[in-house]
Amino acid sequence: MFDNSGHMASQGSREGGRSAMVVQLDERSQTAQEHALAVLHQDIMSGVLPPGAKLKIRELVENYKIGATPLREALSQLVARNLVVLENNRGFSVAPATMEKLIDITASRQLIEAEVLRLAMRHGDLRWEDEIVASYNLLDLELVRCDEHSKEWLDRYEEKHHRFHSALLAGCPYQSVRAFCDELYVQMTRYRRLLRSRSMYPISPRGDHRELMEHVLSRQESAIECLKLHIGRTAEYMQIHLNQQGMSSGRD
């Protein structure tokens, strides 16, 4: 190997060049994987890829214009998040939306988030309180702008809603358990968005989240029951409409 002046390049410079090339390739691969994960996650959550839909790599490559390798890596991550299932000899498919699974997610959220919220109220500082108030105000403002027929508005609402519920638990010092709560929240959100895509699920009244916020900021035990009721009311309403939509067996 020679440099621009015609002299042989050093071993170190060749290795440095290879290292830089590997880093660039890794960055491009990571970017493609992140993009694949983002678009698949969005389409599963919104119902574009409905429950039970087969996720054939060849079709995904054609539809999303993404390589097979980053798509497989993204699908594997979605399997870990319980949004995609992988069956032997049958490949990937979107996780079914079943009544049994919704009941399981609901009970798990009520059980785990209750204890996480208790820890958050015990350990949360003033910044924790500030984020709860700030995230609530952003959510409430989005409700004032309500346009349930606009996908863009619904995306903004879901983002603010997620931020508010994450803020409630953020005072808990245990990051791993907060991450698990977030996974359960996302799984439940998929059911809610599936129903909203069919105009079967209304946006929560403005007072619901304010009541929850006030109980949490009081740091009283009443906040635990308020959170459980909030999660339970959401699930009960979804169960009614899941039955009406014939989704209890995982059908679209």
Side-chain angles (χ1 to χ4, degrees):
M1 297 291 293
F2 295 87
D3 60 21
N4 291 334
S5 63
H7 295 94
M8 183 175 290
S10 68
Q11 181 69 20
S13 64
R14 291 201 301 273
E15 290 178 352
R18 290 195 195 100
S19 298
M21 185 178 297
V22 169
V23 169
Q24 290 175 355
L25 289 173
D26 286 346
E27 288 177 348
R28 287 199 294 269
S29 176
Q30 185 69 16
T31 300
Q33 179 186 340
E34 290 173 351
H35 177 59
L37 180 62
V39 295
L40 288 171
H41 185 275
Q42 178 179 339
D43 284 354
I44 289 171
M45 294 297 291
S46 65
V48 172
L49 294 171
K54 299 298 181 184
L55 300 172
K56 298 179 180 179
I57 298 297
R58 184 175 299 177
E59 293 179 359
L60 294 176
V61 168
E62 181 178 348
N63 292 337
Y64 291 101
K65 310 303 180 187
I66 301 173
T69 297
L71 281 168
R72 287 194 184 92
E73 292 171 348
L75 289 169
S76 295
Q77 290 190 47
L78 291 169
V79 169
R81 299 181 188 184
N82 293 309
L83 295 176
V84 168
V85 294
L86 175 61
E87 299 181 71
N88 291 335
N89 302 320
R90 300 185 66 179
F92 295 100
S93 61
V94 178
T98 66
M99 186 69 69
E100 292 78 12
K101 185 62 176 177
L102 175 59
I103 293 172
D104 180 87
I105 294 169
T106 302
S108 297
R109 282 192 68 193
Q110 289 176 317
L111 178 67
I112 298 170
E113 287 191 28
E115 185 58 33
V116 174
L117 181 60
R118 187 175 283 112
L119 289 167
M121 291 190 296
R122 183 182 305 163
H123 295 281
D125 55 15
L126 292 178
R127 286 182 298 178
W128 170 69
E129 292 185 357
D130 288 345
E131 173 58 17
I132 291 174
V133 174
S135 61
Y136 166 76
N137 286 333
L138 289 171
L139 176 61
D140 191 57
L141 180 60
E142 209 60 63
L143 285 170
V144 173
R145 301 166 175 162
C146 181
D147 182 2
E148 294 187 43
H149 301 292
S150 166
K151 180 183 180 302
E152 290 74 18
W153 177 83
L154 186 56
D155 287 341
R156 292 197 307 272
Y157 169 81
E158 289 291 355
E159 179 185 351
K160 304 297 193 307
H161 188 265
H162 191 180
R163 176 176 171 176
F164 173 72
H165 276 271
S166 296
L168 296 177
L169 307 181
C172 172
Y174 305 116
Q175 183 176 356
S176 295
V177 74
R178 294 202 317 268
F180 182 59
C181 288
D182 195 67
E183 288 182 16
L184 291 173
Y185 173 91
V186 170
Q187 290 179 48
M188 196 165 184
T189 297
R190 182 170 74 109
Y191 284 81
R192 189 171 64 244
R193 293 207 64 167
L194 286 170
L195 290 172
R196 282 183 180 149
S197 69
R198 296 164 170 79
S199 300
M200 293 296 295
Y201 187 85
I203 301 297
S204 300
R206 290 178 64 187
D208 281 10
H209 293 101
R210 182 176 186 85
E211 179 185 15
L212 180 56
M213 175 188 69
E214 290 174 346
H215 277 277
V216 171
L217 292 178
S218 74
R219 303 190 188 227
Q220 299 298 315
E221 190 67 18
S222 60
I224 305 301
E225 189 61 28
C226 187
L227 177 64
K228 287 182 177 180
L229 289 173
H230 181 79
I231 295 171
R233 281 197 301 267
T234 300
E236 288 172 6
Y237 196 90
M238 285 194 285
Q239 287 176 34
I240 293 171
H241 292 288
L242 281 173
N243 280 328
Q244 293 176 356
Q245 291 292 296
M247 292 170 61
S248 59
S249 62
R251 298 189 301 272
D252 177 23

